[in-house]
Amino acid sequence: MKRLSLIVNESKPGAPELADEIRKILEGAGLETAPPESLQSCGALIAVGGDGTILTAARMALPWRLPVLGVNAGRLGFLAGLERHELHLLPRLASGDFSLDRRMLLEVQISDGESLIYKGYCLNDAVISRFGTPRLAEISVDCGGGHALKFMGDGVIFATPTGSTAYNFSAGGPVVEPSFESVLLTPVCNHLLFTRSVVFSAQTVFSVDITREGLALATDAEPPVSLLPGQRVLVKRAEPEALFFRLKTEHFLDVLGMKMGT
């Protein structure tokens, strides 16, 4: 790995300057940096920004199965592998002094009868929620084998273990260690007595039949896609995995405590 692609969120204060410092350190270690347009000829991708930038980088890297390193230039940066003050660890990319974390993804499909309308991947979560209407969203989720859970409220979150600390966490869902392969189903402002999250096997295939207007699908905080009656949303574990560099030996609980203040 001699060439790395660099993606920078220019809107983050100090991110461009941080990226310049990263380039200098990498070049000093014998590594070349390139823009995202040259990703196919690179061996890895470095994302400088917040969690949104790192999520974008993970999706960009998927077609080439490239590992990603996030450098936090935002506030939380839960997905980041390095903080601003830890750039001295970057030469480990050249020496091979690192490990790779594999994170499961979700594959999300929208179909209309026999036609596939949309297919995408998400590292954090897929959310079906009410959209453009004051009415409560009534959502019935088939959780494999004809067993359904019914929700009535603002929506429902399908989260990966990586995404358990994102929207799922804000909605009261459990935090799951990232290597524990599972899918979390968490209601959002459920207007029923049953308001708990359910943790499913990673092999579970979920489907939602859309029966009325006023719902939308969002994946990893991307712009929502409107859902129409007669469509079906399928959520399952994706075949590819996201790869992230680990340059430090800290435990998941160390990161949790530092980021969440526990």
Side-chain angles (χ1 to χ4, degrees), residues 106-215:
L106 294 177
E107 178 182 318
V108 185
Q109 300 178 10
I110 302 174
S111 61
D112 182 4
E114 297 298 322
S115 302
L116 181 64
I117 299 172
Y118 169 88
K119 178 180 177 180
Y121 298 102
C122 50
L123 175 63
N124 268 354
D125 49 45
V127 181
I128 298 177
S129 60
R130 59 178 178 173
F131 184 70
T133 176
R135 295 188 304 177
L136 295 178
E138 297 182 34
I139 302 171
S140 179
V141 182
D142 186 295
C143 305
H147 301 286
L149 286 176
K150 299 183 184 298
F151 303 96
M152 180 181 293
D154 284 351
V156 63
I157 305 167
F158 302 85
T160 66
T162 299
S164 69
T165 54
Y167 192 13
N168 166 79
F169 181 81
S170 299
V175 174
V176 177
E177 204 280 324
S179 66
F180 181 71
E181 297 182 345
S182 57
V183 181
L184 290 69
L185 197 60
T186 298
V188 182
C189 297
N190 205 25
H191 197 66
L192 297 171
L193 288 177
F194 181 78
T195 60
R196 302 297 185 185
S197 299
V198 182
V199 180
F200 288 90
S201 160
Q203 283 68 49
T204 306
V205 177
F206 305 89
S207 63
V208 178
D209 288 323
I210 307 303
T211 58
R212 70 179 193 184
E213 296 180 346
L215 294 176

Side-chain angles (χ1 to χ4, degrees), residues 74-131:
R75 184 184 62 84
L76 186 59
F78 202 91
L79 295 172
L82 290 180
E83 300 295 323
R84 293 174 185 259
H85 64 279
E86 297 173 325
L87 299 186
H88 63 278
L89 298 177
L90 283 170
R92 293 185 179 182
L93 294 174
S95 64
D97 185 15
F98 59 81
S99 59
L100 290 178
D101 284 344
R102 297 179 178 273
R103 301 291 182 91
M104 67 168 281
L105 303 168
L106 294 177
E107 178 182 318
V108 185
Q109 300 178 10
I110 302 174
S111 61
D112 182 4
E114 297 298 322
S115 302
L116 181 64
I117 299 172
Y118 169 88
K119 178 180 177 180
Y121 298 102
C122 50
L123 175 63
N124 268 354
D125 49 45
V127 181
I128 298 177
S129 60
R130 59 178 178 173
F131 184 70

